[in-house]
CSV table of all heavy atoms in Angstrom, one decimal:
chain,number,residue,atom,x,y,z
U,34,CYS,N,12.8,39.4,-17.7
U,34,CYS,CA,13.1,40.0,-16.4
U,34,CYS,C,11.9,40.5,-15.6
U,34,CYS,O,11.8,40.3,-14.4
U,34,CYS,CB,14.2,41.1,-16.5
U,34,CYS,SG,13.6,42.6,-17.5
U,35,GLN,N,10.9,41.0,-16.4
U,35,GLN,CA,9.7,41.5,-15.7
U,35,GLN,C,8.9,40.4,-15.2
U,35,GLN,O,8.4,40.4,-14.1
U,35,GLN,CB,8.9,42.4,-16.7
U,35,GLN,CG,9.5,43.7,-17.0
U,35,GLN,CD,9.4,44.0,-18.5
U,35,GLN,OE1,9.1,43.1,-19.3
U,35,GLN,NE2,9.7,45.2,-18.9
U,36,LEU,N,8.6,39.4,-16.0
U,36,LEU,CA,7.8,38.2,-15.6
U,36,LEU,C,8.5,37.6,-14.4
U,36,LEU,O,7.8,37.2,-13.4
U,36,LEU,CB,7.7,37.2,-16.7
U,36,LEU,CG,6.9,37.6,-17.9
U,36,LEU,CD1,7.0,36.5,-19.0
U,36,LEU,CD2,5.4,37.8,-17.5
U,37,PHE,N,9.8,37.4,-14.4
U,37,PHE,CA,10.5,36.9,-13.3
U,37,PHE,C,10.3,37.7,-12.0
U,37,PHE,O,10.0,37.2,-10.9
U,37,PHE,CB,12.0,36.7,-13.6
U,37,PHE,CG,12.8,36.2,-12.4
U,37,PHE,CD1,12.7,34.8,-12.0
U,37,PHE,CD2,13.5,37.1,-11.6
U,37,PHE,CE1,13.4,34.4,-10.9
U,37,PHE,CE2,14.2,36.6,-10.5
U,37,PHE,CZ,14.2,35.3,-10.2
U,38,ALA,N,10.5,39.0,-12.1
U,38,ALA,CA,10.4,39.9,-11.0
U,38,ALA,C,9.0,39.9,-10.4
U,38,ALA,O,8.8,39.8,-9.2
U,38,ALA,CB,10.8,41.3,-11.3
U,39,TYR,N,8.0,39.9,-11.3
U,39,TYR,CA,6.6,39.8,-10.8
U,39,TYR,C,6.3,38.5,-10.1
U,39,TYR,O,5.6,38.5,-9.1
U,39,TYR,CB,5.6,40.0,-12.0
U,39,TYR,CG,5.8,41.4,-12.7
U,39,TYR,CD1,5.3,41.5,-14.0
U,39,TYR,CD2,6.3,42.5,-12.0
U,39,TYR,CE1,5.4,42.8,-14.6
U,39,TYR,CE2,6.5,43.7,-12.7
U,39,TYR,CZ,6.0,43.8,-14.0
U,39,TYR,OH,6.1,45.0,-14.6
U,40,GLU,N,6.8,37.4,-10.6
U,40,GLU,CA,6.6,36.1,-9.9
U,40,GLU,C,7.2,36.1,-8.5
U,40,GLU,O,6.7,35.5,-7.6
U,40,GLU,CB,7.1,35.0,-10.8
U,40,GLU,CG,6.2,34.7,-12.0
U,40,GLU,CD,4.7,34.4,-11.6
U,40,GLU,OE1,4.5,33.6,-10.6
U,40,GLU,OE2,3.8,34.9,-12.2
U,41,VAL,N,8.4,36.7,-8.4
U,41,VAL,CA,9.1,36.8,-7.1
U,41,VAL,C,8.2,37.5,-6.1
U,41,VAL,O,7.9,37.1,-5.0
U,41,VAL,CB,10.5,37.4,-7.2
U,41,VAL,CG1,11.0,37.7,-5.8
U,41,VAL,CG2,11.4,36.5,-8.0
U,42,LEU,N,7.6,38.7,-6.6
U,42,LEU,CA,6.7,39.4,-5.7
U,42,LEU,C,5.5,38.6,-5.3
U,42,LEU,O,5.0,38.7,-4.2
U,42,LEU,CB,6.4,40.8,-6.3
U,42,LEU,CG,7.5,41.7,-6.6
U,42,LEU,CD1,7.0,43.1,-7.1
U,42,LEU,CD2,8.4,41.9,-5.4
U,43,ARG,N,4.9,37.9,-6.3
U,43,ARG,CA,3.7,37.1,-6.0
U,43,ARG,C,4.0,36.0,-5.0
U,43,ARG,O,3.2,35.7,-4.2
U,43,ARG,CB,3.2,36.5,-7.3
U,43,ARG,CG,2.5,37.6,-8.2
U,43,ARG,CD,1.9,36.9,-9.4
U,43,ARG,NE,1.4,38.0,-10.3
U,43,ARG,CZ,1.9,38.4,-11.4
U,43,ARG,NH1,3.0,37.7,-11.9
U,43,ARG,NH2,1.4,39.4,-12.1
U,44,HIS,N,5.2,35.5,-5.1
U,44,HIS,CA,5.6,34.4,-4.1
U,44,HIS,C,5.6,35.0,-2.7
U,44,HIS,O,5.3,34.2,-1.8
U,44,HIS,CB,7.1,34.0,-4.5
U,44,HIS,CG,7.6,33.0,-3.5
U,44,HIS,ND1,7.2,31.7,-3.4
U,44,HIS,CD2,8.5,33.2,-2.5
U,44,HIS,CE1,7.9,31.1,-2.4
U,44,HIS,NE2,8.7,32.0,-1.8
U,45,PHE,N,5.8,36.3,-2.5
U,45,PHE,CA,5.8,36.9,-1.2
U,45,PHE,C,4.5,37.6,-0.9
U,45,PHE,O,4.4,38.4,0.0
U,45,PHE,CB,7.0,37.9,-1.1
U,45,PHE,CG,8.3,37.2,-0.9
U,45,PHE,CD1,9.1,37.2,-2.0
U,45,PHE,CD2,8.6,36.5,0.2
U,45,PHE,CE1,10.4,36.5,-1.9
U,45,PHE,CE2,9.8,35.9,0.3
U,45,PHE,CZ,10.7,35.8,-0.7
U,46,GLY,N,3.4,37.3,-1.7
U,46,GLY,CA,2.1,37.8,-1.4
U,46,GLY,C,1.7,39.1,-2.0
U,46,GLY,O,0.6,39.6,-1.7
U,47,LEU,N,2.6,39.7,-2.8
U,47,LEU,CA,2.2,41.0,-3.4
U,47,LEU,C,1.5,40.7,-4.7
U,47,LEU,O,1.6,39.6,-5.3
U,47,LEU,CB,3.5,41.8,-3.6
U,47,LEU,CG,4.3,42.1,-2.4
U,47,LEU,CD1,5.6,42.8,-2.7
U,47,LEU,CD2,3.5,43.0,-1.4
U,48,THR,N,0.9,41.7,-5.2
U,48,THR,CA,0.1,41.6,-6.5
U,48,THR,C,0.6,42.7,-7.5
U,48,THR,O,-0.1,43.7,-7.6
U,48,THR,CB,-1.4,41.7,-6.2
U,48,THR,OG1,-1.7,42.9,-5.5
U,48,THR,CG2,-1.9,40.5,-5.5
U,49,PRO,N,1.7,42.5,-8.1
U,49,PRO,CA,2.2,43.5,-9.1
U,49,PRO,C,1.3,43.5,-10.3
U,49,PRO,O,0.8,42.4,-10.7
U,49,PRO,CB,3.6,43.0,-9.4
U,49,PRO,CG,3.6,41.5,-9.2
U,49,PRO,CD,2.6,41.3,-8.0
U,50,PRO,N,1.3,44.6,-11.0
U,50,PRO,CA,0.6,44.7,-12.3
U,50,PRO,C,1.4,44.0,-13.3
U,50,PRO,O,2.6,44.0,-13.3
U,50,PRO,CB,0.4,46.2,-12.5
U,50,PRO,CG,1.6,46.8,-11.9
U,50,PRO,CD,1.9,45.9,-10.6
U,51,ASP,N,0.8,43.4,-14.3
U,51,ASP,CA,1.5,42.8,-15.4
U,51,ASP,C,1.7,43.8,-16.5
U,51,ASP,O,1.0,43.9,-17.5
U,51,ASP,CB,0.7,41.6,-16.0
U,51,ASP,CG,0.6,40.4,-15.1
U,51,ASP,OD1,1.7,40.1,-14.5
U,51,ASP,OD2,-0.5,39.8,-14.9
U,52,LEU,N,2.8,44.6,-16.3
U,52,LEU,CA,3.1,45.7,-17.2
U,52,LEU,C,4.5,45.6,-17.7
U,52,LEU,O,5.4,45.1,-17.0
U,52,LEU,CB,2.9,47.1,-16.4
U,52,LEU,CG,1.6,47.4,-15.8
U,52,LEU,CD1,1.6,48.7,-15.0
U,52,LEU,CD2,0.5,47.5,-16.9
U,53,ARG,N,4.7,46.1,-18.9
U,53,ARG,CA,6.1,46.2,-19.4
U,53,ARG,C,6.8,47.4,-18.7
U,53,ARG,O,6.1,48.2,-18.0
U,53,ARG,CB,6.0,46.5,-20.9
U,53,ARG,CG,5.3,45.3,-21.6
U,53,ARG,CD,5.8,45.1,-23.0
U,53,ARG,NE,5.1,44.1,-23.7
U,53,ARG,CZ,5.5,42.9,-23.9
U,53,ARG,NH1,6.6,42.5,-23.4
U,53,ARG,NH2,4.7,42.0,-24.6
U,54,SER,N,8.1,47.5,-18.8
U,54,SER,CA,8.8,48.4,-18.0
U,54,SER,C,8.4,49.9,-18.2
U,54,SER,O,8.3,50.6,-17.2
U,54,SER,CB,10.3,48.3,-18.3
U,54,SER,OG,10.6,48.4,-19.7
U,55,SER,N,8.2,50.4,-19.4
U,55,SER,CA,7.7,51.7,-19.5
U,55,SER,C,6.3,52.0,-18.9
U,55,SER,O,6.0,53.0,-18.3
U,55,SER,CB,7.8,52.2,-21.0
U,55,SER,OG,7.0,51.4,-21.8
U,56,GLU,N,5.4,51.0,-19.1
U,56,GLU,CA,4.1,51.0,-18.5
U,56,GLU,C,4.2,51.0,-16.9
U,56,GLU,O,3.5,51.7,-16.3
U,56,GLU,CB,3.2,49.9,-18.9
U,56,GLU,CG,3.0,49.8,-20.4
U,56,GLU,CD,2.4,48.5,-20.9
U,56,GLU,OE1,2.7,47.5,-20.3
U,56,GLU,OE2,1.7,48.5,-21.9
U,57,LEU,N,5.1,50.2,-16.4
U,57,LEU,CA,5.3,50.1,-15.0
U,57,LEU,C,5.8,51.4,-14.5
U,57,LEU,O,5.3,51.9,-13.4
U,57,LEU,CB,6.4,49.0,-14.7
U,57,LEU,CG,6.9,48.9,-13.3
U,57,LEU,CD1,5.7,48.5,-12.3
U,57,LEU,CD2,8.0,47.8,-13.2
U,58,TRP,N,6.8,52.0,-15.1
U,58,TRP,CA,7.3,53.3,-14.7
U,58,TRP,C,6.2,54.4,-14.6
U,58,TRP,O,6.2,55.2,-13.8
U,58,TRP,CB,8.5,53.7,-15.5
U,58,TRP,CG,9.2,54.9,-15.0
U,58,TRP,CD1,9.4,56.1,-15.6
U,58,TRP,CD2,9.8,55.0,-13.7
U,58,TRP,NE1,10.1,56.9,-14.7
U,58,TRP,CE2,10.4,56.3,-13.6
U,58,TRP,CE3,10.0,54.2,-12.6
U,58,TRP,CZ2,11.0,56.8,-12.4
U,58,TRP,CZ3,10.6,54.6,-11.4
U,58,TRP,CH2,11.2,55.9,-11.4
U,59,ALA,N,5.3,54.4,-15.6
U,59,ALA,CA,4.3,55.4,-15.7
U,59,ALA,C,3.1,55.1,-14.8
U,59,ALA,O,2.3,56.0,-14.4
U,59,ALA,CB,3.8,55.5,-17.2
U,60,ASP,N,3.0,53.8,-14.3
U,60,ASP,CA,1.8,53.4,-13.5
U,60,ASP,C,1.7,54.2,-12.2
U,60,ASP,O,2.7,54.3,-11.5
U,60,ASP,CB,1.9,51.9,-13.3
U,60,ASP,CG,0.8,51.5,-12.3
U,60,ASP,OD1,-0.4,51.6,-12.7
U,60,ASP,OD2,1.1,51.0,-11.2
U,61,THR,N,0.5,54.6,-11.9
U,61,THR,CA,0.3,55.3,-10.6
U,61,THR,C,-0.9,54.6,-9.8
U,61,THR,O,-1.2,55.0,-8.7
U,61,THR,CB,0.0,56.8,-10.7
U,61,THR,OG1,-1.2,56.9,-11.6
U,61,THR,CG2,1.1,57.5,-11.3
U,62,GLU,N,-1.5,53.6,-10.4
U,62,GLU,CA,-2.6,52.9,-9.7
U,62,GLU,C,-2.1,51.7,-8.9
U,62,GLU,O,-2.6,51.6,-7.7
U,62,GLU,CB,-3.6,52.4,-10.8
U,62,GLU,CG,-4.3,53.5,-11.5
U,62,GLU,CD,-5.3,52.9,-12.5
U,62,GLU,OE1,-5.8,51.8,-12.3
U,62,GLU,OE2,-5.6,53.6,-13.5
Side-chain angles (χ1 to χ4, degrees):
C34 62
Q35 291 138 345
L36 292 174
F37 175 77
Y39 298 158
E40 287 302 316
V41 169
L42 296 187
R43 287 184 186 107
H44 174 76
F45 288 105
L47 299 175
T48 54
D51 290 317
L52 301 173
R53 301 211 185 257
S54 55
S55 57
E56 297 166 334
L57 172 64
W58 189 239
D60 176 62
T61 58
E62 291 181 29

